[in-house]
Amino acid sequence: MTEPAWWAPGETVVWRYTRPRHPSESVRPMRVVRDDAHGLVAWLPAGTPLLRPVLADGGDLRSVPVAERFDVDRHGRANRLDTWRGHGILKVAPRGVPWSVWLFWGDGGDFHGWYVNLESVHERHDHEVVTQDHVLDLVVQPDRSVARKDEDELAAAVRSGRFSATEAAAIEGDAAAVEHVVHRWGSPFCDGWETWSPDPTWPLPELPPAYAEKATYCST
């Protein structure tokens, strides 16, 4: 299958996280910053309309204790139409790796650090990036220190059957590989994205109607 041509800066792409065993998903329209053989860089501005997974009653997934968080049969899932709050985030997805790096800033524009989201290798479609979240994450501080996050959630995901022990071990191996990149300060951490700023003429990305129609709830 031939991959789509590179997307141009300013184009809108949809970044989707699908969920196994249930139809809820995370859908975020984003502005392309750069797209080439090195990977995709995309911007999610504050106020962007998006779709996010919630409990069957519309509640937040993190309102459920960690031990029960992946028990889909017990708590159910739905989709909520929402907006991205706080400062925007820049996502950097190097090609062919099972993770992406998110850069966060405070409301005053001060850089807060990098968040490494472990996920399946991205599939590209027509203005769409599709992946699955792997639960375990890493936080990289501006001083280059790195720490794993949500190890308890990964263990709960294994107990619930979302991941096998073998799959969890592979995810932990992916985390170790990223830690090695951080320790040698490789790309994309050394690429200077923390000093980047968005084009002020870009309007908010729009959530395609086909995704908005999947919403069961709307946030106010």
Side-chain angles (χ1 to χ4, degrees):
M1 177 177 172
T2 303
E3 287 194 338
W6 305 125
W7 296 313
E11 286 189 77
T12 297
V13 294
V14 172
W15 193 304
R16 289 177 58 210
Y17 286 94
T18 60
R19 298 298 198 275
R21 297 171 50 206
H22 55 84
S24 66
E25 57 187 346
S26 172
V27 181
R28 299 172 177 178
M30 305 182 70
R31 290 283 174 200
V32 174
V33 175
R34 190 194 74 189
D35 185 40
D36 54 28
H38 297 291
L40 171 67
V41 183
W43 170 243
L44 178 67
T48 298
L50 51 82
L51 195 70
R52 67 181 179 92
V54 293
L55 300 174
D57 63 3
D60 190 270
L61 298 181
R62 290 188 174 273
S63 66
V64 175
V66 170
E68 303 174 11
R69 197 163 292 168
F70 298 94
D71 191 343
V72 178
D73 294 333
R74 180 174 181 178
H75 295 285
R77 293 291 187 272
N79 292 312
R80 178 181 287 276
L81 190 62
D82 208 337
T83 58
W84 184 260
R85 293 176 172 81
H87 198 283
I89 59 172
L90 186 71
K91 292 189 180 186
V92 182
R95 284 180 60 79
V97 300
W99 43 272
S100 61
V101 178
W102 306 359
L103 286 81
F104 285 84
W105 291 265
D107 291 337
D110 51 320
F111 180 60
H112 282 187
W114 300 263
Y115 185 96
V116 183
N117 202 72
L118 299 178
E119 55 204 36
S120 59
V121 175
H122 295 173
E123 297 179 6
R124 292 167 60 103
H125 303 291
D126 183 20
H127 286 82
E128 183 179 72
V129 174
V130 182
T131 183
Q132 287 190 10
D133 184 71
H134 285 172
V135 180
L136 184 64
D137 304 306
L138 296 98
V139 176
V140 182
Q141 302 291 348
D143 65 3
R144 304 187 183 184
S145 61
V146 58
R148 296 191 183 187
K149 180 179 181 293
D150 297 332
E151 292 175 293
D152 56 342
E153 287 197 16
L154 180 60
V158 171
R159 290 193 298 270
S160 73
R162 175 168 175 180
F163 297 117
S164 68
T166 300
E167 289 170 329
I171 292 169
E172 290 171 340
D174 293 336
V178 177
E179 288 166 343
H180 179 68
V181 174
V182 174
H183 291 153
R184 62 180 175 81
W185 208 241
S187 180
F189 303 98
C190 65
D191 294 340
W193 288 111
E194 64 272 21
T195 64
W196 176 86
S197 57
D199 186 331
T201 66
W202 283 348
L204 286 179
E206 296 183 359
L207 184 67
Y211 296 112
E213 291 169 359
K214 296 182 178 182
T216 308
Y217 299 93
C218 292
S219 295
T220 57

